[in-house]
Amino acid sequence: MTSLYTFSCLFFFCSLLSASSIIAKVQHHNFVIQETPVKRLCKTRNAITVNGMFPGPTLEVNDGDTLEVKVLNRARYNITIHWHGVRQMRTGWADGPEFVTQCPIRPGKSYTYRFTIQGQEGTLWWHAHSSWLRATVYGALIIHPALGSSFPFPKPDRQTALVLGEWWNANPVDVINQATRTGAAPNISDAYTINGQPGDLYNCSNKETVVVPVNSGETSLLRVINAALNQPLFFTVANHKLTVVGADASYLKPFTTKVLMLGPGQTTDVLLTADQPPKRYYIAARAYQSAQNAPFDNTTTTAILHYRNTTKTSPPVTLSLPAFNDTNTVTSFSRKFKSLRNVVVPKTIDENLFFTIGLGLDNCPKNFPKNRCQGLNGTRFTASMNNVSFVLPSNFSLLQAHSNGIPGVFTTDFPAKPPVKFDYTGNNISRGLFQPVKGTKLYKLKYGTRVQIVLQDTNIVTSENHPIHLHGYDFYIVAEGFGNFNPKKDNSKFNLVDPPLRNTVAVPVNGWAVIRFVADNPGVWLMHCHLDVHIKWGLGMAFLVENGVGELETLEAAPHDLPVC
């Protein structure tokens, strides 16, 4: 009897293993980083691409699958790849930010990223995390429900990824290098793109405009990704309603809108039903620009929603987009986001943090000529969190230094609150607060810590909507508002029932956002503004999350092929 029971249990266990191995797959991909001639806006230049594709390949997986992506660098620049929004549970070595979780992949070298998708469904993406290479090195990462599972909404008839990007006629690496030399803001982009194409409102771009085919009456799932380097974007489809059902690979209570706003790094899943007269309709994106008096690319990128059996030469139905500074539309949109179901939000907080985020001005060093100080009034632009302008190491990655106990690479004294309390969003901020200190400062968290962070925009130089991205984690956005955060009156606004779960929060211009998460993923995790010019200027920091108890709460060992500095 005992042996029969044992046999039955073994058989059942083996069956489970067999079933799970069938359901969960290991996908192998090769990414070759190379220079490829790309023609846009009447001009051809060599762009850095993956496998000669711009944008790069779309990866499609199911929840539970494992990805092994070998990246071979045949370009002339160092590079890393970040899997934006993937939790990377215990696999921080695969996260990708340069000098944070790894040293860069040098020209001629390779590295294989290995990680498993766990409990995530929806739309994420991947991109380079070195210099400004993500201007052309990016692609969609689509996570379908695990086999045997389904969407929490009727299955759409078709699915289409629409990746919004930014194009420079110049080499983007040269653009940011020039700005670093001069201390000035970098030159703005020459176009926005949808799936790599600017669309028919730009020169020499009409024939390549992206076409999205639909049949009358069918419903499409549009997976919209903002991969632009420095620009939040409005997005709309002429004469069609968009039903938002997910964002950042988390499901939402469906709501209907005419316009989306995505900060760089954010994704939004929408259902679109082809319920209009069979014609061609514009799909378009343009800038949301909240920083006053700052130059920006004021062009509009287009694609075409094409009802089948419609004449291809008929002009598309036109549309209107919000004004570039329409913060009211952004606020109305973001406040509709709620998780699909009630969620477990940390109620008791162990670490209550307050981070100011914003720009700054470095005084011109005495040994610098004037042409290296072309920021405002002969200064150099900078940025910071809590008055610390983040500096990346160059000899070791932060995760290597932490794991191997290498001294002198970083400190763990990042401040829990700003060193000086001031009127953060006021108009008369002391110039003494404009120049931050530089440092490689981390904030240490014990495993399992329940964390709340108030992210407070400042009006130093100018206020701006900042898309703040946290690597290795999703977080609940429990509240947001304008002005200076005041716990006495703003705590009552917290949504602790069904707040949205995101990996990137658009902190309102001249305002604040409050996020909560549990530190359940050991490693070193970067938090930064996803406007790439701001991270270059130092608008970032990193959390050091300590190991917990046992193997399942401990960072995995470094892979054998981890790049060396």
Side-chain angles (χ1 to χ4, degrees):
M1 192 71 177
T2 305
S3 60
L4 179 62
Y5 174 77
T6 305
F7 174 79
S8 299
C9 288
L10 285 172
F11 177 78
F12 177 69
F13 180 65
C14 290
S15 298
L16 279 178
L17 284 178
S18 177
S20 64
S21 64
I22 293 171
I23 292 172
K25 302 183 294 292
V26 178
Q27 289 196 23
H28 301 271
H29 298 274
N30 290 304
F31 278 15
V32 178
I33 310 298
Q34 61 191 67
E35 287 197 14
T36 304
V38 176
K39 184 177 183 181
R40 296 291 185 274
L41 310 180
C42 319
K43 300 173 183 176
T44 300
R45 72 167 172 86
N46 281 344
I48 306 300
T49 65
V50 169
N51 301 345
M53 300 168 62
F54 171 63
T58 294
L59 302 183
E60 297 200 43
V61 300
N62 293 93
D63 181 22
D65 287 356
T66 295
L67 276 167
E68 293 192 359
V69 184
K70 182 178 180 179
V71 178
L72 172 60
N73 187 3
R74 288 190 174 148
R76 54 192 165 120
Y77 302 112
N78 296 335
I79 198 165
T80 65
I81 301 292
H82 170 53
W83 314 93
H84 186 110
V86 174
R87 281 295 316 267
Q88 299 288 2
M89 297 301 292
R90 303 176 51 240
T91 53
W93 304 106
D95 188 43
E98 184 179 65
F99 294 116
V100 177
T101 59
Q102 66 169 99
C103 297
I105 307 168
R106 306 288 182 185
K109 303 294 184 181
S110 67
Y111 177 49
T112 299
Y113 293 89
R114 301 173 180 88
F115 56 92
T116 299
I117 307 294
Q118 300 180 50
Q120 295 184 281
E121 295 177 17
T123 306
L124 297 176
W125 63 301
W126 56 266
H127 60 81
H129 215 295
S130 305
S131 182
W132 270 21
L133 293 177
R134 82 168 179 86
T136 52
V137 179
Y138 61 83
L141 173 55
I142 309 301
I143 307 172
H144 298 287
L147 295 180
S149 301
S150 59
F151 297 118
F153 46 81
K155 186 177 179 181
D157 298 291
R158 64 175 65 235
Q159 302 179 40
T160 303
L162 296 174
V163 189
L164 313 179
E166 227 172 335
W167 175 263
W168 276 260
N169 285 329
N171 179 346
V173 174
D174 293 342
V175 173
I176 188 57
N177 286 348
Q178 179 191 23
T180 302
R181 280 193 303 273
T182 65
N187 293 337
I188 60 172
S189 55
D190 296 289
Y192 301 114
T193 58
I194 298 176
N195 290 353
Q197 296 294 342
D200 60 6
L201 301 184
Y202 297 89
N203 291 336
C204 307
S205 304
N206 187 41
K207 290 181 181 178
E208 290 78 23
T209 300
V210 169
V211 174
V212 179
V214 292
N215 292 317
S216 289
E218 73 179 13
T219 297
S220 295
L221 175 60
L222 303 182
R223 301 176 179 272
V224 187
I225 301 167
N226 186 353
L229 217 59
N230 294 310
Q231 194 63 57
L233 294 168
F234 288 117
F235 173 92
T236 192
V237 182
N239 290 17
H240 287 74
K241 294 177 182 177
L242 305 173
T243 300
V244 177
V245 293
D248 292 2
S250 291
Y251 292 120
L252 298 167
K253 286 184 173 66
F255 67 90
T256 301
T257 182
K258 291 184 177 179
V259 179
L260 313 179
M261 196 291 286
L262 299 91
Q266 293 185 319
T267 74
T268 306
D269 291 349
V270 299
L271 297 174
L272 177 147
T273 299
D275 57 4
Q276 296 299 301
K279 295 181 181 178
R280 287 152 48 88
Y281 295 85
Y282 269 128
I283 301 169
R286 64 170 285 188
Y288 165 52
Q289 177 67 8
S290 58
Q292 292 187 358
N293 303 318
F296 69 100
D297 180 349
N298 198 19
T299 61
T300 301
T301 179
T302 56
I304 295 171
L305 186 75
H306 178 89
Y307 280 65
R308 285 204 165 91
N309 302 321
T310 302
T311 307
K312 291 185 178 180
T313 55
S314 61
V317 176
T318 57
L319 49 70
S320 62
L321 279 155
F324 69 86
N325 59 353
D326 188 351
T327 294
N328 287 339
T329 291
V330 174
T331 305
S332 173
F333 175 67
S334 66
R335 287 184 176 170
K336 293 176 181 174
F337 280 60
K338 298 181 188 300
S339 283
L340 179 62
R341 300 180 180 89
N342 291 356
V343 293
V344 180
V345 185
K347 302 287 198 303
T348 304
I349 298 301
D350 305 308
E351 291 272 7
N352 199 344
L353 307 176
F354 189 104
F355 291 178
T356 54
I357 55 175
L359 306 184
L361 299 172
D362 277 339
N363 294 328
C364 191
K366 292 180 179 178
N367 60 333
F368 275 30
K370 285 185 177 181
N371 64 5
R372 293 208 60 192
C373 298
Q374 296 182 38
L376 290 178
N377 302 318
T379 61
R380 293 175 57 85
F381 279 111
T382 185
S384 68
M385 285 187 172
N386 277 358
N387 202 47
V388 178
S389 188
F390 193 60
V391 178
L392 290 170
S394 57
N395 295 325
F396 302 94
S397 75
L398 296 173
L399 190 56
Q400 279 178 300
H402 163 58
S403 297
N404 298 329
I406 301 169
V409 178
F410 64 83
T411 59
T412 55
D413 57 346
F414 186 86
K417 59 184 180 181
V420 178
K421 191 174 182 179
F422 61 98
D423 181 6
Y424 308 113
T425 55
N427 293 318
N428 297 306
I429 299 174
S430 165
R431 284 302 298 264
L433 296 170
F434 277 48
Q435 182 156 352
V437 297
K438 296 189 186 312
T440 311
K441 297 175 184 286
L442 278 55
Y443 194 92
K444 188 180 289 188
L445 295 170
K446 291 188 184 307
Y447 185 94
T449 299
R450 293 159 295 191
V451 183
Q452 174 176 293
I453 309 174
V454 176
L455 295 164
Q456 174 70 61
D457 187 28
T458 73
N459 199 23
I460 295 176
V461 182
T462 182
S463 58
E464 188 166 1
N465 183 294
H466 293 277
I468 301 297
H469 173 49
L470 176 58
H471 289 231
Y473 285 89
D474 290 324
F475 48 75
Y476 292 110
I477 306 173
V478 299
E480 58 182 46
F482 292 99
N484 299 334
F485 177 76
N486 180 349
K488 291 180 181 177
K489 65 183 181 71
D490 291 328
N491 282 4
S492 64
K493 301 173 184 174
F494 287 7
N495 175 5
L496 302 179
V497 177
D498 58 357
L501 188 66
R502 305 293 302 258
N503 63 57
T504 305
V505 55
V507 178
V509 55
N510 246 334
W512 50 268
V514 181
I515 66 172
R516 290 186 178 187
F517 64 95
V518 177
D520 60 358
N521 193 10
V524 176
W525 303 107
L526 184 65
M527 186 166 80
H528 65 97
C529 181
H530 219 276
L531 307 179
D532 272 32
V533 59
H534 289 178
I535 180 63
K536 184 70 176 178
W537 286 345
L539 212 171
M541 57 81 65
F543 288 103
L544 192 167
V545 180
E546 297 177 320
N547 287 331
V549 178
E551 183 183 2
L552 295 180
E553 297 181 1
T554 301
L555 176 71
E556 290 184 359
H560 65 87
D561 60 341
L562 188 72
V564 295
C565 289

